[in-house]
Amino acid sequence: MRFEYAPYDGVFYATNLHRDSRTRKLAWEHPAGMETLVVQTPFGTPAMGLLDPDESGSSALVSACNQNEPVVGSYTEVMEGVYARIVPATEIGGCPLNGEACTYTVFALQRLGDTYKVFESRTKGMIRAWQDIPVEIHVQLQKVTRVQGRFRKQTVDTGFWRMSFSRSVGEGYTTGDLYYRVGNIEVPLTQDAIDYAVGHDGIYVKTDKRIEVLSRNAGIRLV
C-alpha cells in the first residue's frame, strides 16, 4: 500500500481520543465503516506535526509509512521512536496500547485501490485527536536499620537505603528516564534494575546520605 497526505475535510475524521476507563484501551470517535491510523510518539509530542506537509508537499509521517508500512493488528516502528498501527473498521472494543509514558494520535484513513489517504486531524476545544498516556509509579525509600544488643536492644543504621517500586516502567523505557541522586551524584536506573526491585524486596544502595528518585521523562510520574 502507498500512503498519501490529505487535508482535513470534515467527512473523514477521527477525534476524541481517550483511554477507556474499563478496558484500558484507546477509544475514539469516527464515521462508521472507516479505517484509522493510530500513531504512538514520545510523551508530549502529538503526531499531527509529523503529518503536516512541507513546502514541497512532502509529509514526514507519510514518507515513513511508505518506507515501513504499518499493518493491521500490531504496531510498526515507522521511524525512530514512532510506531503506527492500522485499525480496520471491523475492529471494535478499542485498540490496545503499545506502552505508556507516550502520546497517541489518531488519523482517518480512506482506502482507494492500493493507496491510503491519511487525513489531517483537527482539535476543537477539549475534543482532540491525541492523548498523553502517563504512567504512575509509587516509589518507596527507606533507611535500612537493624536491632542489636542482647539485653539492651537498640536500633542502628546498616549503612543501606532500600528503594522499591510499585510497578515496572513497561516497554519503551530509556535508561536514565529515572535516576537516583545521592548528594551531588546521579545514578541512572535501568529497566532491569527497576524490574528486579519490583519482583524482589527492592534494591539496596550503600550510603549514609538520603536518596532521592527523580524522573527526566514527563510521562513517568512518581507518587
Side-chain angles (χ1 to χ4, degrees):
M1 296 293 292
R2 178 166 179 78
F3 292 79
E4 294 181 354
Y5 164 82
Y8 176 79
D9 70 351
V11 176
F12 290 88
Y13 66 87
T15 189
N16 195 25
L17 180 65
H18 59 281
R19 189 175 190 178
D20 187 283
S21 59
R22 183 179 60 83
T23 65
R24 308 301 290 168
K25 292 183 177 181
L26 294 172
W28 58 92
E29 297 174 10
H30 61 84
M34 193 191 74
E35 293 180 274
T36 312
L37 184 70
V38 177
V39 180
Q40 174 196 358
T41 48
F43 188 88
T45 56
M48 277 94 74
L50 294 176
L51 184 62
D52 291 343
D54 57 24
E55 294 180 355
S56 65
S58 177
S59 164
L61 180 60
V62 165
S63 297
C65 289
N66 284 326
Q67 293 178 15
N68 301 288
E69 184 178 334
V71 297
V72 174
S74 64
Y75 286 86
T76 300
E77 187 171 21
V78 295
M79 53 197 301
E80 186 175 0
V82 177
Y83 298 80
R85 173 180 179 144
I86 294 175
V87 180
T90 55
E91 186 169 328
I92 59 175
C95 173
L97 279 71
N98 193 43
E100 296 175 306
C102 55
T103 296
Y104 291 87
T105 309
V106 287
F107 299 99
L109 290 178
Q110 181 188 22
R111 179 183 286 192
L112 297 171
D114 62 352
T115 299
Y116 268 125
K117 283 190 173 183
V118 186
F119 284 84
E120 180 183 359
S121 295
R122 288 285 177 88
T123 294
K124 185 177 180 180
M126 296 299 292
I127 305 300
R128 59 196 185 189
W130 60 273
Q131 181 69 54
D132 292 330
I133 304 292
V135 55
E136 291 189 349
I137 300 176
H138 183 266
V139 181
Q140 185 177 32
L141 299 171
Q142 183 180 22
K143 181 180 285 189
V144 181
T145 60
R146 61 183 174 85
V147 177
Q148 72 175 20
R150 185 174 181 182
F151 300 106
R152 189 175 180 179
K153 299 184 183 298
Q154 59 179 343
T155 301
V156 298
D157 290 340
T158 63
F160 285 89
W161 279 76
R162 184 174 69 90
M163 186 188 317
S164 61
F165 300 87
S166 61
R167 54 171 294 182
S168 177
V169 289
E171 295 182 7
Y173 176 76
T174 300
T175 295
D177 280 353
L178 296 183
Y179 64 98
Y180 69 87
R181 179 188 293 160
V182 181
N184 296 322
I185 300 174
E186 295 181 354
V187 181
L189 287 163
T190 65
Q191 183 170 3
D192 286 344
I194 295 171
D195 288 346
Y196 181 89
V198 172
H200 297 78
D201 187 33
I203 53 180
Y204 293 80
V205 179
K206 185 171 179 57
T207 179
D208 293 324
K209 298 180 179 179
R210 182 173 181 81
I211 289 180
E212 292 181 281
V213 177
L214 303 165
S215 173
R216 290 190 176 92
N217 185 338
I220 303 176
R221 299 177 181 173
L222 302 177
V223 295

